[in-house]
């Protein structure tokens, strides 16, 4: 280990910054965020740096000499003058003042890492000065797994540390208590912005006579297929779950993102062939959560758009099971985007309507007269089997047979296929080629824009990224 990671308190301490350009500005912002008093030495200082300075700060335009090091807690050299940077480094080492020379690790006694700031939680990533760009890339990946609300959670824990210590004299009991707290409903309340309720629940939990793990359910929208379209929150909760119930429409690559030791339960449903009836799924969610387990209900698309999520949370609410609903990118948005079809466009469609291709009794008795208005895009979910009826009824109720339409198969995945035709020709078009679910049907003038906007098909997504 070339550098030992340390965190230091700069609040109210004088920090020397030699340089007045953009690099110095970036370092000044960082020091200012930590509460430092700035002493800036440079004949020329850009306006942005000047505006950052406060009355307690100093601006010395006469140039550098070692007298400016008096009373300094640390120093940063941010100039492009190599001899000057070396002199500053030598002076600081002689006076035992920590020094950082930007982009020159050999002259540094400390380095500035890439930072993930969730104050008071701070994560630092360093390459030892060898590759700051790599450190920033690692930081960007970590950003996605550390919610911005972790800072508020840390503040909440800080309020109750003494109370927990008084309640649990044994360090192992305290550790167990905090592990349950930081991975359970209390933390999730903070993440959802309900800090007051989280504080009340934590206070109540401390007064319980014993530790009891609490079960909960996460209804997670997995999106239309591409794992990269999952939200940060969806991924975080999925990787916490002890049990994962997943649908047929959830891509295998997404299921693989759950914990390796999690129990996986397939509850997929096809038209007229439900592997597990919905009522049984509802009961499974209640049963697993009642056992104290964290349950992820993983659904394709969005749980509340033709996903029957409403029925599932009704059952959970009746049994007082805590739950969260994590929205997902619905198939209409994802598939249309990857197919190069904007669902709305100022010149073609000012509204969009989502419709299920079959109802509860497997009929497709839809309000056809409402679906034929011009300047409107219609998206049919689960409409492959009923496609002939859809085309026939739209034409019969006044939609022009030349209206463009698209059928998207396995949208957003490497197996995506798009068939473009019209209301009058689509049935014949798919008769000449095998098409299988899941599919999405888009009807409207916006489909005509696909040839110009279909970015997805310009790339071979089956190949690794370069």
């Amino acid at each position: 280990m070339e550098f030992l990671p340390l965190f230091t308190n700069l609040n109210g301490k004088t920090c020397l910054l030699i340089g007045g350009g953009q690099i110095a500005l970036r370092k000044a912002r960082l020091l200012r965020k930590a509460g430092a008093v700035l002493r800036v030495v440079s004949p020329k200082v850009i306006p942005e740096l000047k505006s950052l300075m406060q009355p307690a700060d100093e601006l010395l335009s006469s140039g550098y000499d070692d007298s400016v090091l008096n009373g300094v807690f640390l120093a940063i050299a941010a100039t492009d003058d190599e001899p000057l940077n070396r002199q500053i480094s030598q002076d600081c080492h002689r006076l035992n003042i920590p020094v950082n020379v930007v982009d020159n690790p050999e002259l540094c006694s400390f380095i500035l890492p890439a930072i993930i700031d969730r104050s008071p939680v701070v994560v630092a990533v360093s390459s030892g000065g060898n590759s700051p760009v790599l450190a920033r890339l690692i930081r960007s990946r970590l950003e996605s797994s550390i919610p911005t609300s972790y800072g508020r959670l840390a503040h909440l824990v800080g309020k109750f540390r003494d109370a927990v210590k008084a309640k649990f004299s044994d360090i192992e009991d305290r550790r167990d208590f905090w592990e349950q707290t930081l991975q359970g409903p209390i933390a999730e309340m903070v993440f959802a912005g309900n800090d007051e309720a989280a504080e009340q629940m934590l206070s109540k939990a401390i007064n319980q006579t014993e530790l009891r793990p609490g079960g909960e359910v996460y209804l997670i929208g997995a999106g239309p297929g591409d794992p990269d379209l999952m939200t940060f929150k969806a991924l975080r909760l999925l990787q916490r779950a002890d049990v994962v119930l997943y649908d047929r429409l959830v891509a295998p690559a997404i299921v693989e993102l759950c914990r390796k030791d999690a129990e996986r339960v397939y509850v997929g449903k096809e038209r007229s062939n439900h592997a597990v009836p919905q009522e049984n799924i509802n009961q499974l969610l209640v049963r697993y959560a009642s056992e104290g387990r964290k349950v992820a209900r993983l659904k394709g698309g969005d749980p509340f758009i033709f996903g029957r999520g409403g029925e599932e949370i009704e059952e959970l609410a009746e049994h007082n099971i805590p739950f969260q609903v994590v929205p997902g990118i619905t198939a209409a948005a994802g598939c249309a985007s990857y197919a190069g079809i904007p669902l709305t466009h100022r010149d073609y469609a000012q509204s969009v309507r989502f419709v299920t291709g079959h109802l509860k009794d497997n009929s497709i008795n839809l309000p056809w007269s409402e679906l034929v208005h011009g300047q409107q895009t219609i998206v049919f979910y689960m409409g492959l089997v009923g496609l002939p009826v859809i085309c026939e009824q739209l034409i019969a109720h006044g939609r022009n047979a030349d209206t463009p339409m698209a059928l998207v198969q396995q949208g957003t995945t490497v197996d995506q296929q798009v068939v473009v035709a019209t209301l009058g020709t689509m049935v014949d078009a798919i008769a000449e080629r095998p098409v299988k679910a899941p599919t999405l049907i888009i009807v409207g003038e916006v489909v005509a824009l696909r040839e110009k906007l279909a970015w997805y098909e310009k790339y071979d997504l089956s190949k690794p990224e370069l």
Side-chain angles (χ1 to χ4, degrees):
M1 184 187 299
E2 296 182 38
F3 290 89
L4 177 67
L6 298 171
F7 290 87
T8 187
N9 184 356
L10 297 184
N11 190 40
K13 295 182 171 65
T14 299
C15 295
L16 178 65
L17 180 61
I18 302 99
Q22 288 293 336
I23 296 177
L25 174 63
R26 292 199 296 270
K27 305 305 179 185
R29 285 172 174 160
L30 194 60
L31 294 171
R32 170 65 69 226
K33 200 170 185 180
V37 176
L38 301 180
R39 180 180 294 172
V40 179
V41 177
S42 179
K44 296 181 180 179
V45 177
I46 60 175
E48 295 91 337
L49 180 51
K50 283 185 178 180
S51 65
L52 185 69
M53 299 185 69
Q54 298 178 357
D57 299 332
E58 298 177 77
L59 176 57
L60 306 177
S61 58
S62 58
Y64 172 80
D65 63 66
D66 61 3
S67 66
V68 302
L69 294 170
N70 292 335
V72 165
F73 184 76
L74 62 78
I76 298 177
T79 82
D80 55 5
D81 186 332
E82 175 64 22
L84 175 59
N85 289 341
R86 190 168 294 277
Q87 182 63 51
I88 295 167
S89 176
Q90 291 173 354
D91 291 342
C92 288
H93 279 87
R94 174 172 51 84
L95 297 170
N96 292 321
I97 295 173
V99 61
N100 174 267
V101 179
V102 176
D103 289 337
N104 197 332
E106 294 181 358
L107 300 181
C108 297
S109 60
F110 77 93
I111 56 177
L112 293 172
I115 292 173
I116 302 168
D117 187 3
R118 304 287 189 265
S119 294
V121 176
V122 178
V123 180
V125 180
S126 172
S127 65
N130 290 288
S131 179
V133 172
L134 177 60
R136 289 196 296 271
L137 290 174
I138 295 172
R139 177 191 65 188
S140 67
R141 294 197 177 190
L142 291 175
E143 288 270 8
S144 65
S145 60
I146 303 176
T148 57
S149 47
Y150 262 29
R152 301 202 326 275
L153 181 60
H155 279 299
L156 176 64
V157 169
K159 288 183 180 181
F160 288 88
R161 282 192 67 191
D162 290 342
V164 171
K165 191 172 183 179
K167 174 72 175 181
F168 304 105
S169 58
D170 185 82
I171 190 171
E172 294 296 333
D173 288 342
R174 290 201 296 273
R175 181 181 294 115
D176 289 344
F177 176 83
W178 284 125
E179 284 181 354
Q180 290 183 25
T181 298
L182 296 174
Q183 297 183 84
I186 293 173
E188 292 303 326
M189 283 185 179
V190 174
F191 298 153
N194 198 344
D195 292 24
E196 184 176 347
E199 186 168 342
Q200 293 173 357
M201 181 178 284
L202 180 52
S203 179
K204 183 178 179 181
I206 293 172
N207 294 321
Q208 290 178 349
T209 57
E210 61 182 21
L211 295 176
R212 294 194 303 271
E216 57 185 325
V217 175
Y218 317 128
L219 271 69
I220 299 174
D226 185 347
D228 287 347
L229 295 180
M230 289 184 69
T231 65
F232 294 154
K233 184 173 185 179
L235 182 59
R236 174 171 58 83
L237 293 181
L238 177 61
Q239 293 179 340
R240 284 182 49 191
D242 305 307
V243 185
V244 179
L245 280 66
Y246 64 98
D247 280 347
R248 177 180 63 93
L249 297 179
V250 177
I254 292 176
V255 178
E256 287 300 315
L257 294 174
C258 68
R259 274 180 16 211
K260 300 306 179 187
D261 61 338
E263 181 179 350
R264 304 179 188 186
V265 182
Y266 175 69
V267 292
K269 297 189 289 290
E270 299 181 52
R271 183 185 176 98
S272 302
N273 180 22
H274 293 191
V276 181
Q278 185 63 50
E279 294 76 12
N280 291 3
I281 295 174
N282 300 346
Q283 293 165 10
L284 281 173
L285 295 174
V286 171
R287 191 191 89 194
Y288 285 129
S290 298
E291 294 171 355
R293 305 171 80 179
K294 294 177 175 60
V295 186
R297 175 67 173 103
L298 198 56
K299 294 172 170 289
D302 181 275
F304 280 3
I305 299 182
F306 307 126
R308 304 188 72 172
E311 299 170 46
E312 293 172 356
I313 65 171
E314 280 186 296
E315 186 81 12
L316 296 171
E318 287 180 9
H319 289 82
N320 296 315
I321 302 294
F323 64 85
Q324 294 186 61
V325 180
V326 184
I329 294 178
T330 188
C335 296
S337 175
Y338 277 51
I341 301 171
L343 294 177
T344 62
H345 189 285
R346 186 169 61 177
D347 297 330
Y348 299 99
Q350 286 74 54
S351 65
V352 59
R353 187 159 180 172
F354 300 164
V355 183
T356 180
H358 71 272
L359 303 181
K360 187 174 181 180
D361 58 359
N362 289 325
S363 71
I364 46 176
N365 183 24
L366 298 171
W368 300 108
S369 59
E370 299 176 13
L371 305 181
V372 296
H373 299 310
Q375 303 291 296
Q376 175 180 236
T377 303
I378 308 298
V379 179
F380 291 90
Y381 287 69
M382 300 168 284
L384 180 59
V385 173
L387 179 63
V389 176
I390 291 172
C391 294
E392 175 186 306
Q393 290 296 322
L394 289 176
I395 294 172
H397 284 80
R399 198 83 191 234
N400 195 304
D402 292 332
T403 301
M405 69 183 304
L407 186 148
V408 185
Q409 171 185 294
Q410 295 178 290
T412 78
T413 73
V414 294
D415 297 316
Q416 173 176 297
Q417 297 290 327
V418 182
V419 181
V420 176
T422 67
L423 283 177
T425 62
M426 179 59 82
V427 173
D428 291 337
I430 68 166
E432 300 172 0
R433 58 189 298 174
V435 177
K436 61 180 181 179
T439 60
L440 192 85
I441 299 168
I442 305 172
V443 179
E445 302 299 330
V446 291
V447 175
L449 296 169
R450 177 178 180 272
E451 185 174 348
K452 183 189 297 184
L453 304 178
W455 66 270
Y456 183 94
E457 294 173 6
K458 297 176 183 177
Y459 304 94
D460 183 353
L461 298 185
S462 65
K463 295 180 179 179
E465 295 181 8
L466 297 177

